[in-house]
Amino acid sequence: MGQRLNRCLDVPVALPPLRRRLLLLFIMLFLWLYMFYSCAGSCAGLTTRGSPAPPRAAPPLPPLLPGEPGEESSLEEQRAAPDAGSPISSFFNGSGTKRLPQAIIIGVKKGGTRALLEFLRVHPDVRAVGAEPHFFDRNYERGLAWYRELMPRTLEGQITMEKTPSYFVTKEAPARISSMSKGTKLIVVVRDPVTRAISDYTQTLSKKPDIPTFESLTFKNRTTGLIDTSWSAIQIGIYAKHLENWLLHFPIGQILFVSGERLIRDPAGELGRVQDFLGLKRIITDKHFYFNKTKGFPCLKKAEGSSKPHCLGKTKGRTHPDIDQEVVQRLRDFYRPFNMKFYQMTGQDFGWD
């Protein structure tokens, strides 16, 4: 029997018994790992209810389109998307199930959504899509199965998240997200609408240097001082108007409003509020941040899956152009009543005046 086994394994009879046992154990371990990875690829494709998931063919990523001028998503950010979910990579990155997100950062553009997402990904119980899926505004016709396939795998107790800032200003988005799950937790990062508009313009200017001046785009008529609310950079900052649409489908308590200014001044404080809102243990604290004087905002001492410091990319923290102060003041006057209403709706004074 021993000689027959040696011939099958092609092990020389002359090997000492100890070596033969070690070689046999190595072969058995290799076979076990092979079976384990094979099972990981087929068994993990079940939903939380145990029903078969859609075919695991890798879907195309959301189109690499800039959308409206100044769209926050960039090629660099889309390359930060999670792994494609092969059996071996999903095992080493945490095997589990692809679930629809339980929480979504829905806005606002140029408010600090990328910073918030990167900070949150430090938490071991948060798994998030790196790219902006744009499902509820651009890709809704592809269906929830396509959307779920973009999500990272999560274990029991972990939260799946994504962020697409344009959802906040998309009229159809609230009803669509509510249709997916009425219990979805929503996060909105807001910022002084005047500063936000200038930041929005600055981003567009970096891509299209020949666009008109900020001042000329702000007004329908400079002489009368009539603000052009059709310009997206202005319209996005009318937060109260957009929030009314969301409150038709979600209670105010299901939406967390994060201050973009406080996120810079006190990132740990704002992250504490976010972790509480998501029902997570407060793991992300002051010890995770340091202030980068060159960029002018906080950076992570250690990024997700790395032991090195991490700051947001070069597209963040651009120097704003000088804007006529009369124009800035007129914009402040324009936004003031909308800001006051927003403070009343949210129960928070963001101090923009």
Side-chain angles (χ1 to χ4, degrees):
M1 178 66 182
Q3 291 178 346
R4 193 177 306 155
L5 179 62
N6 287 333
R7 283 197 299 271
C8 291
L9 297 177
D10 197 24
V11 179
V13 180
L15 278 176
L18 180 60
R19 288 191 179 181
R20 292 213 307 267
R21 291 195 191 96
L22 288 174
L23 183 58
L24 188 58
L25 283 172
F26 176 80
I27 294 173
M28 292 174 65
L29 178 62
F30 176 83
L31 291 173
W32 180 85
L33 287 173
Y34 176 81
M35 293 172 64
F36 183 89
Y37 291 145
S38 298
C39 181
S42 58
C43 300
L46 298 177
T47 65
T48 52
R49 296 181 182 177
S51 57
R56 297 184 64 255
L61 281 173
L64 297 179
L65 297 174
E68 218 173 3
E71 180 59 63
E72 182 150 353
S73 179
S74 67
L75 181 61
E76 176 186 340
E77 290 171 354
Q78 297 210 29
R79 295 305 182 216
D83 62 275
S86 67
I88 295 179
S89 65
S90 65
F91 171 72
F92 284 110
N93 286 289
S95 59
T97 305
K98 292 192 175 188
R99 298 179 175 90
L100 293 170
Q102 296 94 46
I104 303 176
I105 300 174
I106 59 173
V108 298
K109 179 184 173 187
K110 304 311 296 178
T113 59
R114 173 57 53 182
L116 179 61
L117 185 71
E118 292 302 313
F119 294 164
L120 274 175
R121 290 174 80 173
V122 173
H123 200 293
D125 290 333
V126 171
R127 295 297 309 282
V129 183
E132 293 174 4
H134 283 281
F135 175 65
F136 295 105
D137 56 355
R138 299 184 198 165
N139 294 301
Y140 193 64
E141 71 284 351
R142 297 190 182 216
L144 286 172
W146 177 87
Y147 183 49
R148 181 176 59 186
E149 196 62 29
L150 297 178
M151 299 299 129
R153 294 186 180 277
T154 53
L155 301 173
E156 195 67 33
Q158 291 182 318
I159 291 178
T160 303
M161 291 188 68
E162 71 116 319
K163 78 107 176 170
T164 303
S166 52
Y167 290 163
F168 189 64
V169 297
T170 300
K171 187 176 180 180
E172 300 81 10
R176 289 172 174 178
I177 294 177
S178 178
S179 177
M180 176 188 73
S181 172
K182 294 183 182 299
T184 306
K185 293 185 176 182
L186 308 173
I187 300 175
V188 186
V189 189
V190 288
R191 181 184 183 188
D192 181 332
V194 178
T195 310
R196 196 222 66 81
I198 296 172
S199 180
D200 198 334
Y201 173 80
T202 303
Q203 179 168 294
T204 306
L205 185 65
S206 70
K207 299 175 182 178
K208 298 182 177 181
D210 57 342
I211 62 171
T213 64
F214 180 87
E215 289 83 355
S216 62
L217 291 170
T218 296
F219 298 102
K220 282 186 177 179
N221 187 313
R222 180 73 183 266
T223 305
T224 61
L226 186 62
I227 303 294
D228 188 357
T229 56
S230 66
W231 184 29
S232 64
I234 299 295
Q235 193 209 45
I236 290 172
I238 309 175
Y239 302 140
K241 174 186 173 183
H242 303 301
L243 181 56
E244 285 176 344
N245 190 31
W246 287 89
L247 294 182
L248 296 175
H249 302 274
F250 292 92
I252 193 72
Q254 209 165 309
I255 308 174
L256 179 70
F257 300 91
V258 174
S259 166
E261 287 83 10
R262 287 197 298 266
L263 191 61
I264 294 175
R265 292 195 310 266
D266 180 21
E270 284 301 276
L271 265 293
R273 293 179 60 242
V274 176
Q275 289 171 97
D276 291 346
F277 175 71
L278 295 175
L280 298 170
K281 184 178 179 181
R282 283 199 178 198
I283 290 178
I284 306 172
T285 61
D286 281 321
K287 67 182 181 181
H288 288 90
F289 302 99
Y290 73 95
F291 191 80
N292 186 306
K293 293 182 179 179
T294 303
K295 281 188 166 290
F297 51 73
C299 300
L300 290 166
K301 291 181 180 177
K302 291 182 181 180
E304 178 198 27
S306 172
S307 61
K308 298 180 180 180
H310 172 68
C311 284
L312 298 181
K314 61 183 179 181
T315 60
K316 308 300 178 182
R318 295 186 185 94
T319 301
H320 291 177
D322 290 328
I323 306 297
D324 186 331
Q325 285 306 300
E326 181 190 348
V327 174
V328 171
Q329 188 56 50
R330 288 201 182 186
L331 273 177
R332 293 210 175 281
D333 294 339
F334 166 78
Y335 279 121
R336 187 170 293 110
F338 296 109
N339 291 345
M340 293 301 108
K341 185 176 181 181
F342 186 66
Y343 296 171
Q344 292 173 355
M345 295 171 77
T346 61
Q348 295 183 54
D349 185 339
F350 291 91
W352 294 326
D353 287 301

